[in-house]
Amino acid sequence: MRENLHRFFRAARGAGVRISPSESIDAMRAVSEIGFADREILRDTFLLTLAKNSDDKRALGECFDLFFKPPEISAPPAQDNDNEAGESGETQDGQAPAGGAASAPSSGLSPMSQMLLSQDQNGIAAAIANAASAAELTEIRYFTQRGIFSSRILNELGIAQLRDDLDALNAANPAEADRLAAGIEALRENVRETVSQALLLYGREESENLRNDILRNAPMSQLDQRQVQQMRVLIRQIARRLRERYSKPRKRQRRGHLDVRRTIRRNAAWGGVPFLTTWKRRHRDKPKIIAICDVSGSVARVSDFFLLLIYSLHEVVSDVRSFAFSSHLIEVSDILENEDADKAMKEIMTQVGFGSSDYGKSFEDFEKLALRAVTPQTTVIVLGDARTNNLDPRADILKRVSERCKRLVWLNPEGRMVWGWGDSQMPRYATFCSVVRQCATAKQLERAITDIVASYQ
């Protein structure tokens, strides 16, 4: 029982359900009380002990149905040269009668051959399960391994002996040889189905990690529609990691480190026994971030991802003001704080998205709206391609922002090779920035945002 539960927990984690060791122990204790007899009660037990939200319940339910799905052993097709069902020992639906055999197999054959000829589905299912366990099928991770594990299972089932039996029957009993050949082909198909089911259970996590790794390093501006949806999921995962890592201050960081000298002096009256402790406290600035995001047509393919990351900043940092612009600039802090991510992005793009970018006019708007809010504790983040459509870039405003803030960070989705070409004013703007980074991929974007938030920890 314990081994099966461990396999199920691993499959559930691969399906995206986060299961801690304590939660798995609770689930095992609950299962030891109710047993495996009633599958519906067992399913509800896992949902109650392991699922934390509706997404977990859905993923866990699908994983349970797949993991505890009884094996469906397909029988070989009926042979054309068979007589009527009564003569062949089969029922009208092509299945062997309960407790009997399709026909008496020849003696001297291997047990597996006899099960295939008699269509002993229970015996075949048990043999495939034992062979899969011996072949360590739970270690399958990638779809390219399907052929390897299928061969391993067939070898454990004795496929070489089955071929020898088939050759012997071809010479002695051609009709029975045809039935055995059909049974071997059905066996191969059943093994392929078993391997495919195991891949869905145990290979999902590795396949998703591989896909995410490819997406993390893919240029966001070159994704097709299917990959855009996958990238949205990946950006949400990045935001969740940021939230989990930085939203709660660590106790050690609040308390600081032990000040040994002052502790000894303070406890001189007790002979140096440290009844009273003194801690070194390092001053940390309270996080204060202002994000300015370009949502014009030239960066429309990546602006959604920028907005998703800005949305996550509102969940991680308490003091964040966000602005979006194309031909003019507006504050979107209230939208990001009061709406869910998808609705907020749609509303922002409806108000200012897909226009022709005017950095000069947008910086003028920012100067009027929020320049006074920029302090020496503020990190200002600009997300955009710095393409001004040959309009006045107003770099002087950016210079004033740089002089007032703690750091000015510019994240550009374009490659460095094109900075300064055409209407790009990136080299001019970079003069006043503390940090300038290319953020063409999700990996680069995550690293940049993580460094910004971590600087306040």
Side-chain angles (χ1 to χ4, degrees), residues 306 381-385 407-416 419 426 430 433-441 443-453:
F306 283 165
I381 309 171
V382 182
L383 304 99
D385 60 2
R407 286 192 306 169
L408 177 57
V409 180
W410 195 298
L411 307 180
N412 194 321
E414 291 189 334
R416 290 179 177 270
W419 292 0
M426 195 64 242
C433 296
S434 309
V435 178
V436 177
R437 286 192 178 183
Q438 177 189 0
C439 283
T441 68
K443 184 175 182 179
Q444 293 171 336
L445 187 58
E446 178 184 14
R447 185 179 301 168
I449 298 297
T450 300
D451 290 346
I452 293 169
V453 178

Side-chain angles (χ1 to χ4, degrees), residues 159-417:
I159 188 66
Q161 183 61 47
L162 289 175
R163 294 194 191 99
D164 292 341
D165 292 342
L166 183 60
D167 292 339
L169 286 177
N170 277 325
N173 190 339
E176 199 169 59
D178 291 341
R179 288 175 49 218
L180 181 59
I184 293 174
E185 184 58 33
L187 179 66
R188 291 180 182 275
E189 181 62 27
N190 290 325
V191 169
R192 284 193 289 267
E193 289 293 329
T194 300
V195 172
S196 297
Q197 180 178 346
L199 180 62
L200 286 176
L201 282 169
Y202 306 112
R204 187 180 313 181
E205 183 177 15
E206 293 295 334
S207 298
E208 184 175 349
N209 290 340
L210 178 61
R211 183 188 65 196
N212 287 345
D213 190 56
I214 294 173
L215 276 177
R216 282 165 57 86
N217 292 280
M220 292 184 289
S221 60
Q222 299 179 10
L223 301 177
D224 58 35
Q225 190 58 39
R226 178 179 57 85
Q227 291 175 319
V228 166
Q229 298 302 321
Q230 295 173 354
M231 180 64 78
R232 287 176 180 268
V233 175
L234 180 60
I235 294 294
R236 286 190 173 92
Q237 292 174 356
I238 294 173
R240 185 184 66 193
R241 286 197 296 270
L242 283 172
R243 186 168 59 250
E244 291 174 350
R245 183 174 180 181
Y246 297 110
S247 60
K248 295 181 180 180
R250 299 176 184 176
K251 183 177 180 181
R252 181 179 178 184
Q253 289 176 338
R254 293 199 308 268
R255 186 178 61 185
H257 299 278
L258 181 66
D259 190 330
V260 178
R261 290 184 179 181
R262 295 181 63 187
T263 297
I264 293 175
R265 289 198 301 268
R266 190 177 182 186
N267 293 275
W270 292 279
V273 179
F275 288 109
L276 303 175
T277 57
T278 302
W279 301 90
K280 294 179 181 178
R281 300 181 183 274
R282 186 174 67 181
H283 174 73
R284 297 180 184 275
D285 291 334
K286 183 179 180 181
K288 187 176 181 181
I289 294 176
I290 292 179
I292 305 173
C293 184
D294 182 359
V295 292
S296 62
S298 61
V299 292
R301 298 294 298 272
V302 298
S303 57
D304 278 359
F305 309 129
F306 283 165
L307 289 174
L308 271 177
L309 259 295
I310 293 176
Y311 182 88
S312 71
L313 285 178
H314 282 262
E315 297 180 329
V316 175
V317 180
S318 58
D319 191 353
V320 180
R321 293 184 65 180
S322 299
F323 300 84
F325 73 91
S326 54
S327 60
H328 66 286
L329 177 141
I330 63 171
E331 184 166 3
V332 296
S333 303
D334 292 340
I335 300 175
L336 294 173
E337 289 176 357
N338 300 326
E339 304 288 352
D340 62 72
D342 291 334
K343 188 174 180 180
M345 286 188 296
K346 288 180 181 178
E347 186 171 348
I348 292 170
M349 297 303 290
T350 300
Q351 293 190 29
V352 291
F354 304 109
S356 178
S357 60
D358 187 343
Y359 276 77
K361 177 64 168 61
S362 300
F363 285 157
E364 289 176 4
D365 294 340
F366 176 78
E367 185 177 30
K368 296 175 183 177
L369 289 173
L371 184 60
R372 292 183 179 179
V374 179
T375 69
Q377 289 77 41
T378 304
T379 295
V380 178
I381 309 171
V382 182
L383 304 99
D385 60 2
R387 294 199 171 272
T388 63
N389 290 308
N390 297 314
L391 300 173
D392 186 357
R394 293 306 306 270
D396 58 304
I397 300 178
L398 194 68
K399 179 181 178 181
R400 288 195 287 274
V401 173
S402 175
E403 291 171 347
R404 295 175 63 96
C405 69
K406 177 181 180 179
R407 286 192 306 169
L408 177 57
V409 180
W410 195 298
L411 307 180
N412 194 321
E414 291 189 334
R416 290 179 177 270
M417 296 294 293

Side-chain angles (χ1 to χ4, degrees), residues 34 41 44 67 72-73 149 153 171 174 290 301 321-322 339:
I34 65 164
I41 294 178
D44 291 341
F67 186 89
E72 297 179 2
I73 303 301
F149 281 95
I153 294 174
I290 292 179
R301 298 294 298 272
R321 293 184 65 180
S322 299
E339 304 288 352

